[in-house]
Amino acid sequence: MRKQEEYEDIVIVGAGISGLATALALQRKGIRSIVLERSETLRATGAGISIYLNGWHALDHLGVGNQLRAKSTPINEIHGEWVYNDDTEVIPISKEGLRCVKRSDLIEALANSLPAESIRFGCQIVAIETDPVTSFPIVHTADGCIMRTKILIGCDGSNSIVASSLGLKPANLFQTREVRGYTSYPNGHGLSNHFLHLKGDKLFVGRIPVDENLVFWFVDQEFHPKDLETRRDPILIRDRTLEAVKDCPKEVIEMVKHCDLSSLSLTRIRYRAPWHLALKNLCKGTMTVAGDAMHQMDPSIGQGGCTALEDAVVLARSLSREMSVIQSERKISDQEIQNRAEVALRRYTSERKWRILILSTKSFLIGSLFGASWLKRFTFLTLFSTFFGGRFGHTQYNCGHL
Ligand SMILES: Cc1cc2nc3c(=O)[nH]c(=O)nc-3n(C[C@H](O)[C@H](O)[C@H](O)COP(=O)(O)OP(=O)(O)OC[C@H]3O[C@@H](n4cnc5c(N)ncnc54)[C@H](O)[C@@H]3O)c2cc1C
């Protein structure tokens, strides 16, 4: 039986932050695309997400910044504290420099701004090939369909099938894992607008208010093989996290004890090595990647999602310079379409490469510090301040208008 064949100008694989933001950025530029998502619904694993100034710039360019600000509290400071002593380090955050939003709010804000028919659920890409005649990508879905396209954008996260078609290896594993969740305080949490960083022995706890009733928190520890079993059961995740925070202040223990079990997740941390990003081509023909598919990074600097939003703006801006011709009524040859699309994707990847390299290196260095010796920490922190503009310099970046 002949397989069902379809055609779309631009196919985006994955309806996470990156895929939805890319589709929205393209739509804002008047360019049609379709997002293919293997899940049956939108997913927002991980409870909350910290969005720094650079991410807010991108959200504003996408036109959804204000609706998300209305659902989140501005954070003014980071309070660095230690479990075993009373020292506190206060790091001010620039005005509107940080807010934590619910992942579901972010995903919905992006998805609801798109026409419903532009996201197709239950559609898993299982293979990618290049048309031997036109050199355009052809994707094969798990249900046996074939989709021909002019441009293929992989926003399919870690283990991206598009990234592997570009020759990128799967992301590496750190020896760290993170538990994330919410705790809801119906009568108000009463916390000031600060992001708590609580450091212990091979333990890092973060707590950040989303609004006056909801707090997002995470607990980082070294990965243990029993986590593979723990992560399937929210009660086990909570109980083992309670064990981990037993020496923390009482309000932190209470926060974990009374968490929303349905919000809990336990994730092993992955990263794409910066040297790998530096050496590989991030586009091939009319195929490229964005978000975690390109640059999965340690969450210590809270930049994976923010950078995915930047990618979306830069990619749409670059494509729009060529696509207005491609999607116009004027008949143009496949060869011209291909040339223009390749120019746009090369411009996108070269604009992103340095930014991504710096952030990936920064997050890799910080990620490697977890549980490291004093000497290793000192060396890395010196490198850090010398070459990377301090801890938050990267958040002052604006990816520019669409
Ligand atoms: C513990 C942790 C904490 C974090 N904290 C922050 C933070 O505070 N701030 C921040 O900015 N970032 C943070 N990040 C990073 C951020 O979560 C990610 O960078 C971001 O979610 C990546 O989005 P994405 O769309 O690229 O990938 P994903 O969210 O992984 O989405 C990929 C989508 O593609 C779909 N898909 C995959 N393969 C296929 C296929 N073959 N066919 C069809 N669909 C497919 C998947 O189902 C999924 O929906 C954190 C990450 C972790 C792990």
Side-chain angles (χ1 to χ4, degrees):
M1 197 177 78
R2 195 167 183 276
K3 285 185 174 177
Q4 188 193 335
E5 270 198 32
E6 284 183 65
Y7 172 78
E8 293 286 345
D9 277 348
I10 302 182
V11 168
I12 296 170
V13 187
I17 295 170
S18 173
L20 295 171
T22 303
L24 179 57
L26 289 169
Q27 193 208 235
R28 297 270 190 242
K29 298 299 285 180
I31 301 168
R32 294 181 305 271
S33 66
I34 182 136
V35 182
L36 307 181
E37 168 57 48
R38 68 180 168 197
S39 304
E40 295 297 335
T41 53
L42 291 172
R43 291 163 61 245
T45 311
I49 181 164
S50 304
I51 304 285
Y52 287 86
L53 187 60
N54 57 313
W56 286 105
H57 283 316
L59 288 170
D60 284 334
H61 300 315
L62 293 170
V64 294
N66 283 339
Q67 58 173 291
L68 289 166
R69 280 190 193 90
K71 294 178 173 175
S72 59
T73 299
I75 302 299
N76 309 324
E77 289 170 343
I78 292 180
H79 288 192
E81 297 180 11
W82 282 262
V83 175
Y84 302 108
N85 66 45
D86 291 335
D87 292 352
T88 302
E89 178 195 15
V90 176
I91 307 168
I93 304 268
S94 62
K95 190 164 180 283
E96 283 301 328
L98 170 63
R99 286 169 186 256
C100 178
V101 299
K102 289 168 80 173
R103 280 183 187 255
S104 55
D105 285 344
L106 172 56
I107 290 283
E108 277 162 27
L110 297 169
N112 292 344
S113 307
L114 287 166
E117 67 278 6
S118 60
I119 310 173
R120 194 175 298 174
F121 292 102
C123 188
Q124 181 176 8
I125 305 309
V126 289
I128 297 168
E129 60 173 321
T130 306
D131 187 310
V133 179
T134 63
S135 299
F136 286 125
I138 304 174
V139 296
H140 296 257
T141 65
D143 58 5
C145 291
I146 290 177
M147 194 173 275
R148 293 177 178 275
T149 181
K150 297 264 184 319
I151 296 171
L152 180 63
I153 305 170
C155 299
D156 43 346
S158 53
N159 299 320
S160 157
I161 189 169
V162 184
S164 77
S165 299
L166 298 179
L168 292 166
K169 284 194 217 136
N172 302 339
L173 288 167
F174 262 127
Q175 269 314 312
T176 330
R177 50 56 140 202
E178 185 167 295
V179 169
R180 289 173 284 175
Y182 288 133
T183 304
S184 175
Y185 300 82
N187 300 320
H189 49 65
L191 298 167
S192 68
N193 293 353
H194 71 266
F195 187 177
L196 172 70
H197 284 187
L198 185 61
K199 296 161 214 171
D201 182 24
K202 298 194 175 171
L203 174 77
F204 185 78
V205 180
R207 182 193 67 197
I208 181 167
V210 176
D211 57 32
E212 58 275 22
N213 299 107
L214 190 69
V215 167
F216 168 64
W217 55 265
F218 56 85
V219 175
D220 292 357
Q221 282 187 288
E222 275 188 347
F223 172 79
H224 189 281
K226 73 179 176 191
D227 290 332
L228 295 173
E229 164 213 340
T230 308
R231 70 178 176 196
R232 292 195 203 101
D233 179 354
I235 296 177
L236 262 186
I237 298 180
R238 181 198 57 197
D239 292 350
R240 294 207 167 136
T241 307
L242 274 172
E243 228 172 89
V245 300
K246 66 180 187 311
D247 295 326
C248 293
K250 190 163 173 279
E251 80 264 14
V252 170
I253 299 173
E254 290 298 307
M255 174 182 77
V256 175
K257 196 185 277 175
H258 299 292
C259 67
D260 170 358
L261 283 175
S262 69
S263 71
L264 291 184
S265 63
L266 188 159
T267 313
R268 178 92 184 259
I269 304 302
R270 292 167 182 268
Y271 68 99
R272 192 178 290 293
W275 51 93
H276 194 62
L277 277 172
L279 296 173
K280 290 286 179 182
N281 281 330
L282 302 174
C283 63
K284 186 166 92 184
T286 60
M287 234 188 319
T288 192
V289 277
D292 276 10
M294 186 199 271
H295 48 67
Q296 189 160 22
M297 55 182 90
D298 183 274
S300 49
I301 59 169
Q303 279 298 318
C306 296
T307 331
L309 295 167
E310 291 177 8
D311 293 342
V313 173
V314 176
L315 178 52
R317 183 169 61 220
S318 186
L319 271 174
S320 71
R321 281 168 63 179
E322 314 298 330
M323 286 304 286
S324 47
V325 179
I326 296 174
Q327 288 190 339
S328 69
E329 296 306 309
R330 181 165 77 90
K331 262 254 167 279
I332 58 171
S333 68
D334 276 356
Q335 189 59 54
E336 187 182 346
I337 294 174
Q338 191 172 13
N339 293 345
R340 283 177 174 271
E342 286 185 12
V343 165
L345 297 190
R346 277 201 300 272
R347 193 165 47 220
Y348 154 70
T349 52
S350 59
E351 187 174 341
R352 293 306 288 152
K353 199 150 192 169
W354 270 110
R355 170 87 179 139
I356 295 308
L357 263 178
I358 289 170
L359 291 173
S360 298
T361 309
K362 211 164 182 175
S363 58
F364 171 75
L365 291 178
I366 298 201
S368 312
L369 283 179
F370 191 83
S373 67
W374 178 88
L375 183 63
K376 199 170 168 192
R377 279 167 188 248
F378 177 77
T379 315
F380 277 175
L381 287 172
T382 310
L383 263 175
F384 215 74
S385 348
T386 315
F387 295 110
F388 297 109
R391 188 137 186 201
F392 295 105
H394 57 268
T395 66
Q396 301 304 311
Y397 175 89
N398 187 338
C399 58
H401 287 276
L402 265 171

